[in-house]
Amino acid sequence: MMRTDEQPTITGYDRRMYAIMNRREAAPLYATEARRRTVVVAHIVLTAAGIACELYSVLGDERWATFGLLGLLLPWCVATGVINGATRGLLELRVRALDERQRAEKNRVAARAQYVMMWLLLAATVCTGLAGFAGVEIEGLIFPVLFSVFVVHWLMPLWLAGLMAADEPPEEDLPDEEV
């Protein structure tokens, strides 16, 4: 058991993941708040399209939907990487690899995601119940609603972290050294 005064051991995996999540090649894609919001919205749209394709391929037995899902996969992964870069891997890095400020930010994102999901679950429950009262066969709604809510629950912390990420301070121009 680890005592509270001991520092957690940072492994080679933690160092590699930290280096990957802090690469700056994609920084222009998330340098401003507007760009970060655009990437998050694009990720939400790609996710919604992916959910629709998955549901069409499973419930509607449509082959084109499977190919649509495969076509959405690459841009979805790129958008995920951009959001992870904007947050410096806040949600992907292990807690032991984060400093105190990052741990507090991760907890804040998790708390806000839980709050938002609570209201989304309530809305899904109410809408499904109202559909049942309106005569819609609820059995046909259970899987699509549960699948969609699961995916949103899984991605909500990433989306909120991307929306909550602050602009990086501008790099200071260092004076040229005299030789």
Side-chain angles (χ1 to χ4, degrees), residues 5-16:
D5 60 339
E6 292 180 19
Q7 292 294 325
T9 305
I10 305 295
T11 64
Y13 172 81
D14 294 327
R15 284 189 284 278
R16 283 191 306 278

Side-chain angles (χ1 to χ4, degrees), residues 118-149:
M118 176 191 65
W119 288 106
L120 286 175
L121 285 170
L122 177 65
T125 303
V126 168
C127 289
T128 305
L130 291 174
F133 285 129
V136 175
E137 190 174 318
I138 294 179
E139 290 81 19
L141 292 176
I142 292 174
F143 177 73
V145 170
L146 285 177
F147 180 75
S148 301
V149 168

Side-chain angles (χ1 to χ4, degrees), residues 21-24 30 80-89 168:
M21 294 295 167
N22 285 280
R23 293 182 64 166
R24 306 305 300 159
Y30 55 80
T80 301
V82 171
I83 297 171
N84 279 330
T87 63
R88 304 265 184 165
E168 304 244 343

Side-chain angles (χ1 to χ4, degrees), residues 53-77:
C53 285
E54 177 66 21
L55 292 175
Y56 271 120
S57 68
V58 172
L59 300 176
D61 198 26
E62 299 285 340
R63 290 187 194 269
W64 64 264
T66 303
F67 295 112
L69 186 61
L70 290 174
L72 293 169
L73 187 60
L74 181 62
W76 185 87
C77 288

Side-chain angles (χ1 to χ4, degrees), residues 85-128:
T87 63
R88 304 265 184 165
L90 184 71
L91 301 172
E92 299 299 323
L93 296 173
R94 296 178 184 172
V95 172
R96 64 177 159 213
L98 302 175
D99 61 25
E100 288 181 26
R101 180 195 59 78
Q102 291 169 318
R103 288 181 190 151
E105 181 69 18
K106 186 173 187 170
N107 289 337
R108 201 174 76 170
V109 166
R112 183 157 300 161
Q114 180 183 6
Y115 181 78
V116 170
M117 278 309 301
M118 176 191 65
W119 288 106
L120 286 175
L121 285 170
L122 177 65
T125 303
V126 168
C127 289
T128 305

Side-chain angles (χ1 to χ4, degrees), residues 22-63:
N22 285 280
R23 293 182 64 166
R24 306 305 300 159
E25 288 87 0
L29 295 175
Y30 55 80
T32 64
E33 183 178 2
R35 290 180 186 172
R36 284 190 303 277
R37 288 180 187 271
T38 302
V39 171
V40 171
V41 168
H43 195 271
I44 291 169
V45 169
L46 289 168
T47 300
I51 289 171
C53 285
E54 177 66 21
L55 292 175
Y56 271 120
S57 68
V58 172
L59 300 176
D61 198 26
E62 299 285 340
R63 290 187 194 269

